Amino acid sequence: MANKPLRPCLHPGCTALVRSGYCDKHRPPDTARRSAASQSYRHWYRLKIWTDELRPQQLAREPFCRDCARRGLRVYATDVDHVQPHDGDWSKFIDPNNLQSLCHSCHGRKTIAESRAKAARRKR
């Protein structure tokens, strides 16, 4: 199999040639989001209990976005969200009372707000 051609580093103005991404000088440091500790529970979303039970049951129980409904809109939910972030706590992860149905837009907005708040707490 042929090697990938060399390309300039993704950092603006850097001309170092790399196979992909950034050169060693400009490679972003591992953030908390990409660290192994924060990824340890990400595989839970591929487990049968989530894909075949919790997620579909929640969407059947609550087919419309909860946030949009508060604004008087009727939008089908596509994502299942944890009301209180579980942060690796299995009992919070599987608790059906901790789940809500959201449209993709509302889920993204909530996720960004939570991650910004978490980052602000870390900076203190």
Side-chain angles (χ1 to χ4, degrees):
M1 186 164 133
N3 288 333
K4 290 173 74 173
L6 294 175
R7 301 168 185 248
C9 170
L10 290 175
H11 185 79
C14 181
T15 58
L17 296 177
V18 295
R19 297 262 178 238
S20 66
Y22 295 91
C23 66
D24 290 337
K25 180 179 175 186
H26 296 114
R27 186 168 291 117
D30 275 346
T31 63
R33 182 175 181 170
R34 288 187 286 177
S35 71
S38 70
Q39 299 290 328
S40 63
Y41 57 79
R42 301 254 183 229
H43 73 280
W44 291 354
Y45 291 98
R46 292 187 304 271
L47 295 176
K48 191 175 180 97
I49 191 168
W50 179 259
T51 60
D52 294 351
E53 294 176 33
L54 293 171
R55 186 178 186 283
Q57 288 171 2
Q58 174 61 31
L59 289 172
R61 206 172 27 251
E62 190 176 7
F64 297 101
C65 174
R66 191 179 287 186
D67 282 355
C68 289
R70 286 188 196 118
R71 296 190 313 264
L73 302 172
R74 211 162 147 92
V75 177
Y76 278 107
T78 55
D79 298 0
V80 175
D81 177 64
H82 289 89
V83 178
Q84 296 295 317
H86 61 83
D87 293 326
D89 181 347
W90 179 254
S91 60
K92 278 186 181 179
F93 181 81
I94 63 169
D95 181 7
N97 297 318
N98 190 33
L99 300 177
Q100 64 180 345
S101 299
L102 297 175
C103 67
H104 190 68
S105 175
C106 289
H107 184 259
R109 193 171 23 257
K110 180 179 183 277
T111 302
I112 288 171
E114 287 173 350
S115 59
R116 285 181 179 159
K118 188 183 278 188
R121 283 194 303 269
R122 270 193 306 251
K123 286 183 180 179
R124 291 184 208 161

